[in-house]
């Protein structure tokens, strides 16, 4: 399958699946917007940049249809998509106009220089605007996509076995709801593959049958990205939890995508290394889901994002094609670095099945200091001083 064809049809789950703005945020957005003070010399400029009065607020934004996350193969099948749109965004725009002075070019040079010195660079904006929008309303499922039947279930059992196909309502109900209980799907089937080959066969069949699929890891996300929108087939990678290899010289870990982050952390710490990310949900989240969402975590400032720490991936595309990019070479300039397309793609381009990741050496000791800064500039200076004074580790990262 041509990669451009895959990319041209794939879209990410849009913000329409996010919950409505919380009441506190709404109150803050609805609060009157106090315009900044205007210099007396610029009253004329203020009047010049004032928008014409219409006697009413700006008109509401038209209802807009936004698309949902898809994975498309060369044959045109979507991995998880129901219709051209899954949700309709009902959004109204409320604007607060802030009038800012425009510096006049008239007058004596000394006066102009004085006025420019009295204004910051930020005063160069003519009009500033604040807006907010409401959340989405679900719409009907697209009938172009197939409905699961008994033949489909029988085929999945022939691939995964009886234990790999879950139809029990209680177990499926858990996979249908996100960790916060805010988003709920209506899937009737949970698949638990244990190998890349099984994932490939499942996706190839779903592609041929036009069955929508949602990939799922530890289901610890807070934005509903790992739960169905309608009745998609859930493919959970929790059964793929093997550590394949570990290079204790270079600190390179290769494992399957279903490995729980805390288990990986324990393993590499016993080898004298640490994982480059640490999350509050590390006891449940899976490394494949961490990579698919480009999770940051508590060690982000020091060790950087997963784009810099992930060395290779194995990914199964929507039509079942296995894309092997599972390299452990740190410096690889042999061609396109396609793995970056899948880091943070949230399952919209394919399902991550294996990972090779760089792990930094574990420090012999850790000291914690609680520092108070007067302002944001002081925080920046403190961070710069720490980087200069505390040195860097073997990976060029601040200690």
């Amino acid at each position: 399958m041509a990669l451009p064809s895959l990319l041209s049809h794939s879209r990410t789950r849009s913000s329409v699946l996010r919950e409505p703005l919380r009441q506190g945020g709404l109150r803050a957005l609805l609060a009157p917007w106090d315009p900044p003070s205007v210099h007396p010399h610029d009253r004329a400029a203020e009047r010049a940049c004032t928008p014409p009065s219409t006697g009413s607020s700006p008109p509401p934004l038209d209802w807009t249809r936004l698309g949902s996350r898809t994975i498309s193969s060369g044959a045109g099948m979507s991995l998880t998509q129901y219709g051209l749109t899954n949700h309709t965004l009902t959004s109204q725009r409320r604007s607060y106009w802030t009038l800012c002075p425009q510096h006049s070019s008239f007058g004596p040079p000394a006066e102009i220089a004085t006025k420019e010195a009295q204004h910051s660079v930020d005063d160069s904006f003519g009009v500033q605007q604040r807006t907010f929008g409401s959340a989405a309303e679900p719409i009907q499922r697209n009938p172009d996509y197939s409905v699961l039947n008994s033949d489909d279930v029988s085929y999945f059992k022939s691939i995964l076995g009886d234990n790999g196909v879950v139809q029990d309502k209680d177990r499926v109900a858990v996979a249908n709801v996100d960790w916060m209980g805010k988003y709920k799907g209506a899937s009737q089937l949970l698949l638990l593959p244990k190998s890349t080959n099984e994932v490939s066969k499942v996706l190839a069949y779903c592609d041929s049958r036009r069955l929508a699929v949602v990939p799922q890891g530890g289901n610890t996300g807070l934005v509903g990205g790992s739960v169905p929108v309608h009745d998609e087939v859930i493919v959970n990678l929790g059964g793929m939890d093997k550590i394949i290899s570990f290079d204790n010289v270079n600190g390179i870990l290769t494992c399957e995508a279903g490995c729980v982050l805390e288990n990986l952390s324990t393993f590499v710490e016993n080898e004298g290394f640490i994982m480059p990310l640490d999350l509050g949900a590390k006891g449940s989240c899976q490394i494949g889901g961490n990579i698919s969402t480009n999770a940051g975590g508590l060690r982000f400032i020091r060790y950087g994002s997963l784009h810099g720490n992930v060395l290779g991936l194995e990914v199964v595309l929507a039509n079942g094609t296995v894309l092997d990019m599972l390299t452990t070479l740190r410096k690889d300039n042999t061609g396109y670095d396609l793995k970056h397309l899948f880091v943070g793609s949230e399952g919209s381009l394919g399902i991550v099945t294996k990972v090779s990741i760089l792990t930094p050496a574990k420090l012999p000791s850790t000291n914690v200091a609680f520092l108070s800064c007067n302002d944001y500039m002081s925080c920046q200076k403190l961070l710069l001083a720490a980087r200069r004074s505390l040195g860097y580790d073997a990976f060029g990262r601040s200690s």
Side-chain angles (χ1 to χ4, degrees), residues 153 156-158 160-167 189-192:
V153 176
F156 292 137
K157 287 183 177 180
S158 69
L160 309 177
D162 292 340
N163 294 332
V165 180
V166 179
Q167 292 180 283
L189 190 66
L190 171 64
L191 303 182
L192 304 173

Side-chain angles (χ1 to χ4, degrees), residues 371-373 377-388:
L371 305 176
S372 175
C373 298
M377 291 300 297
S378 299
C379 292
Q380 291 181 310
K381 293 178 180 179
L382 175 62
L383 180 61
L384 180 60
R387 286 175 172 170
R388 287 178 174 174

